[in-house]
Amino acid sequence: MNKTIVALDFTNEEEALYFLDQFDKPINVKVGMELFYSAGPQIIEKIKEKGHSIFLDLKLHDIPNTVKSAMRNLAKLDVDIVNLHCAGGKEMMKAAIEGLEEGKIGDKRPLCIGVTQLTSTSKEIMNNDLLIEGEVIDAVLHYAKNAKDSGLDGVVCSVLESKRIHEICGDEFLTVTPGIRFSSDSKDDQKRVATPSIAKEEGSSYIVVGRSITKSQDPYNTYYEIEKTMRG
Ligand code: C5P
C-alpha cells in the first residue's frame, strides 16, 4: 500500500471524481466530512469502483453506544480505515471496535485509528481553549496509549509526535500524519506541520496530504514525488 493518502476535500462528488480521473493506478484517498456530507455514502462505492483504498475520516465522538452503532454501519461500507476522537475515552473506543467487528464484510474489519490532537491545535489552543494543561506531546502520548489499550490500530497525530508514539506503542501501531507541507507552501489553518522528508525520517506510517496536492499545478506528479520521498 502506498504511504501517501490524498485528502479529497472537495465540495461535491463531481469535483472529487474529476480529480481522481487523472490517476491511472489505484491510490489511497481520504474522504472527510466535507465530501461525505455533500455526496453521501454512495461516493464510497464510486471511489471503490475505481480501485482506490479509502480512509473515511468522520472523526466520531459520542456516547459509546452511538459510536458502536455508527461504526457498525461504517464497516458495512467496506472502507479500509475509519477514525474517532480519542477524547471520547476508552469505553467509547472499545465500543467502536465492537461495532466494526459486528458490521465487517468478510473476515477483516476496517482499521480504526484515533485522533489525538488535531494538527490545527497549538499548545496555546490546547491550554486555553480545551483547558488541557502541559505540552501537546504529553496529551498526544496519553491518548495514543489509551487508543492502544482499547484495541485501536493506530492514531492520527502530527509528524512531530510519530517517533515517540512508536517508541511507546510499538512499530506496528500506525501513525497517520496530516499537517504535511512543502517548505514553500502556506501553512493555512494547520499549526503542527512538517515536510514529507521529515515525515519519512520521523517514521510516519502514512501521511495525509490535502491542499499541497489538490491545489498544486500538477497533482499527479506532486503525488508521485511525495510518494517517492516516503519510500526513500
Ligand atoms: O489540506 P491539508 O493537507 O491541510 O489537509 C489535511 C487533512 O487532514 C484535512 O482533510 C483534515 O481534515 C485532516 N486532518 C487534519 N488533522 C487531524 C486529522 C485530520 O488535518 N488531526
Side-chain angles (χ1 to χ4, degrees):
M1 184 156 159
N2 289 351
K3 294 276 194 179
T4 309
I5 302 174
V6 183
L8 294 181
D9 292 328
F10 294 105
T11 319
N12 57 51
E13 177 179 309
E14 290 71 32
E15 279 180 33
L17 296 177
Y18 179 75
F19 172 84
L20 282 176
D21 276 347
Q22 64 198 301
F23 291 90
D24 45 359
K25 289 197 210 98
I27 59 171
N28 306 321
V29 301
K30 181 175 85 64
V31 174
M33 298 182 198
E34 182 181 359
L35 182 58
F36 193 80
Y37 293 154
S38 125
Q42 66 271 13
I43 185 70
I44 300 299
E45 198 44 51
K46 293 190 178 160
I47 296 173
K48 273 161 63 77
E49 274 167 19
K50 293 174 184 281
H52 305 298
S53 301
I54 303 178
F55 167 19
L56 183 54
D57 174 24
L58 298 181
K59 299 187 183 71
L60 274 58
H61 186 172
D62 208 319
I63 59 170
N65 188 55
T66 300
V67 168
K68 179 175 173 177
S69 311
M71 285 296 189
R72 190 188 301 121
N73 290 340
L74 294 186
K76 291 180 185 150
L77 296 176
D78 201 15
V79 291
D80 301 276
I81 308 178
V82 294
N83 68 351
L84 46 69
H85 273 286
C86 296
K90 288 189 191 178
E91 201 189 321
M92 184 200 80
M93 291 194 266
K94 286 179 188 160
I97 299 293
E98 284 169 18
L100 290 172
E101 285 290 350
E102 286 176 14
K104 72 184 175 194
I105 308 280
D107 306 339
K108 223 172 121 251
R109 66 164 170 80
L111 296 174
C112 184
I113 58 179
V115 176
T116 52
Q117 289 293 340
L118 294 169
T119 40
S120 55
T121 301
S122 61
K123 179 177 192 296
E124 289 66 40
I125 294 175
M126 199 185 82
N127 294 163
N128 302 332
D129 295 0
L130 310 187
L131 227 55
I132 298 175
E133 289 178 4
E135 301 297 325
V136 173
I137 183 72
D138 296 321
V140 167
L141 290 176
H142 177 66
Y143 282 155
K145 275 185 267 173
N146 282 353
K148 178 144 201 230
D149 290 350
S150 310
L152 265 63
D153 304 287
V155 285
V156 186
C157 59
S158 93
V159 166
L160 314 170
E161 294 123 22
S162 186
K163 209 172 245 172
R164 291 286 307 279
I165 290 173
H166 280 137
E167 279 165 14
I168 289 172
C169 299
D171 285 341
E172 299 299 304
F173 193 69
L174 302 173
T175 56
V176 178
T177 62
I180 301 296
R181 291 291 183 273
F182 292 117
S183 348
S184 55
D185 286 345
S186 149
K187 279 168 88 175
D188 306 304
D189 52 345
Q190 297 283 19
K191 305 280 188 320
R192 298 180 354 259
V193 298
T195 61
S197 53
I198 295 178
K200 158 86 181 155
E201 271 167 40
E202 296 296 314
S204 294
S205 312
Y206 297 101
I207 57 172
V208 174
V209 190
R211 286 161 284 188
S212 291
I213 290 179
T214 54
K215 301 218 180 299
S216 99
Q217 296 289 344
D218 183 354
Y220 180 91
N221 281 313
T222 306
Y223 174 85
Y224 282 105
E225 246 173 62
I226 293 176
E227 186 58 24
K228 206 166 120 199
T229 305
M230 286 304 288
R231 287 179 175 277

